[in-house]
Amino acid sequence: MSLTYAPGRTTVAVGGELDVYFHQPLHTVLDVAITQGGTHRVELDLRDLSFSDVGGLDILVRAREKAVQAGCGFEIVGPIQPGVLRALQKFAPVMGLPVRPRRGRSSPPDADPPHAP
């Protein structure tokens, strides 16, 4: 995981496998991204994520809720690997996480149409 700061946004890049061993580190990194630095938007870059369990998706939902409460935008950017995208499309809407991944960090917010669940 890594944090990249730019004016008005923080990008959190998550790669590898998001399982129980990485839940706490991801929670901590997302908390920092949302609460520090006067960020207006947090972008979650999942392009290098190859797997996420349901607990990892739950962390994303909770981070989004915290971002909304803090007045901070929260957005998934991509591309997203097919297995992770299927999991997001299946579980994220049920859990309250919108799935509208963009192709890249520099794309406009509505560059890609929403993916149907």
Side-chain angles (χ1 to χ4, degrees):
M1 276 175 274
S2 67
L3 286 172
T4 304
Y5 297 98
R9 76 169 181 253
T10 299
T11 301
V12 179
V14 181
E17 296 185 356
L18 180 53
D19 57 19
V20 68
Y21 300 106
F22 294 101
H23 290 177
Q24 187 58 48
L26 177 60
H27 173 75
T28 301
V29 166
L30 288 170
D31 190 55
V32 167
I34 292 166
T35 61
Q36 293 185 1
T39 300
H40 299 288
R41 182 175 75 226
V42 173
E43 293 182 344
L44 188 60
D45 184 345
L46 302 180
R47 75 183 70 232
D48 294 325
L49 184 66
S50 59
F51 169 82
S52 178
D53 62 12
V54 175
L57 296 177
D58 184 58
I59 290 169
L60 303 183
V61 170
R62 292 178 191 275
R64 179 184 174 271
E65 290 170 354
K66 185 171 188 166
V68 168
Q69 291 174 355
C72 178
F74 189 86
E75 184 175 14
I76 296 173
V77 297
I80 298 176
Q81 294 187 30
V84 174
L85 182 58
R86 280 191 301 275
L88 283 169
Q89 289 172 332
K90 183 173 183 174
F91 295 108
V94 173
M95 299 168 81
L97 183 65
V99 180
R100 288 189 62 191
R102 293 188 289 130
R103 288 201 173 98
R105 290 185 187 119
S106 61
S107 302
D110 56 356
D112 291 351
H115 294 279

